[in-house]
Amino acid sequence: MRLRLGVNIDHVATIRNARGGDHPDPVRAARLAAEAGADGITAHLREDRRHVTDADIDRLIGEIDLPLNLEMAATQEMLTIALAHRPHAACIVPEKRQERTTEGGLDAAGQHNSLAHFVDRLGEANIRVSLFIEPSEQQIAAAMRLGAPVVEFHTGRYAHAEGEERSAELKRIADCAALAVKNGIEPHAGHGLTFDNVVPVAAIPQLAELNIGHFLVGEAIFDGLDTSVRRMRELIAR
Ligand code: PXP
């Protein structure tokens, strides 16, 4: 099974929004990412619309052939939008207004009752639901109770750790990927992945998909998006 690469285009929209207007266009970036070998496009429609907007989601659905993975908070507003657009997948993420980025995984275990409604409604609409969780047995058990077909492990701790701590984080992700598969859940991973740290994560055989955004958009400034996506694909293929 080939490990899929989902390219997150949020930060193309961040740059556009710094000046208002419509340049650079995240949908154009999605098209380029598709040509460079991305297997999917990921976009996080935040409550405060700080990067992608509702109009971007409309266009991503209408103009891009790749599957869209819509990252969303578990709110009624986002559920209504997801049900109206029916993206291929929806990844439920925790969202705090003050955070710079999604700082940790969902507490699927502690929030079972509030998440169940969202997992059920999205699943009934044939949207593949994923829960963005920390790689832990407890969170996988919670995802199983919720009936989520997919989990995405937050790799932020791995990405920021060094030395032995990094090895321990990698092992935690690998063990949890194996546990997820054993229990019929498809594991994905993402957050903070770069050319320098992606290879050991991509080598975890059970992982089906990596979602990568900030680094690829940053590298695109120097080498272009096509080159940065192609290079990431090559590293993942190793
Ligand atoms: N996966 C999820 C669920 C995320 O929320 C994010 C960050 O928006 C990513 C992957 C990508 O993280 P990064 O932008 O650090 O590559």
Side-chain angles (χ1 to χ4, degrees):
M1 191 180 62
R2 178 177 123 127
L3 178 58
R4 296 190 301 268
L5 171 63
V7 173
N8 182 318
I9 44 76
D10 289 348
H11 296 300
V12 178
T14 304
I15 298 171
R16 174 195 60 193
N17 297 354
R19 284 289 171 96
D22 54 16
H23 184 81
D25 176 14
V27 180
R28 181 176 165 199
R31 206 172 290 124
L32 263 173
E35 286 164 13
D39 301 289
I41 298 298
T42 293
H44 184 177
L45 187 66
R46 280 184 172 266
E47 184 198 15
D48 61 10
R49 308 300 197 267
R50 71 175 72 156
H51 33 62
V52 298
T53 62
D54 302 66
D56 294 328
I57 300 295
D58 279 348
R59 291 182 54 226
L60 286 169
I61 294 269
E63 298 177 29
I64 301 296
D65 289 336
L66 290 183
L68 176 69
N69 173 31
L70 176 69
E71 292 179 3
M72 53 175 270
T75 63
Q76 188 55 47
E77 183 200 14
M78 289 302 150
L79 179 62
T80 305
I81 291 170
L83 294 179
H85 286 292
R86 305 211 171 206
H88 166 76
C91 179
I92 304 181
V93 301
E95 197 175 297
K96 294 188 220 121
R97 213 166 236 259
Q98 308 81 348
E99 70 188 354
R100 277 202 215 155
T101 179
T102 313
E103 282 161 3
L106 268 181
D107 181 11
Q111 293 182 305
H112 177 96
N113 293 343
S114 55
L115 290 172
H117 169 72
F118 296 94
V119 175
D120 292 350
R121 292 291 89 74
L122 291 164
E124 284 160 13
N126 280 328
I127 299 169
R128 204 157 157 73
V129 184
S130 143
L131 301 177
F132 192 39
I133 57 173
E134 292 296 327
S136 87
E137 273 182 40
Q138 193 201 15
Q139 296 299 339
I140 293 169
M144 283 165 59
R145 284 196 297 276
L146 284 161
V150 178
V151 291
E152 180 168 328
F153 297 126
H154 194 298
T155 49
R157 279 190 205 215
Y158 160 80
H160 295 123
E162 286 174 9
E164 280 178 22
E165 200 189 328
R166 176 173 280 197
S167 306
E169 287 299 330
L170 182 66
K171 182 170 182 319
R172 210 157 68 93
I173 298 165
D175 290 349
C176 284
L179 183 65
V181 166
K182 201 167 138 201
N183 288 289
I185 297 182
E186 182 176 289
H188 299 178
H191 201 93
L193 296 177
T194 68
F195 292 159
D196 289 337
N197 66 22
V198 76
V199 171
V201 176
I204 297 172
Q206 293 86 358
L207 288 178
E209 180 173 308
L210 301 181
N211 284 299
I212 308 180
H214 183 266
F215 179 81
L216 288 175
V217 173
E219 272 298 297
I221 292 170
F222 305 110
D223 275 335
L225 190 60
D226 182 82
T227 304
S228 60
V229 171
R230 281 181 201 278
R231 171 102 181 107
M232 191 60 89
R233 265 248 64 99
E234 276 166 28
L235 289 169
I236 287 175
R238 282 186 198 171

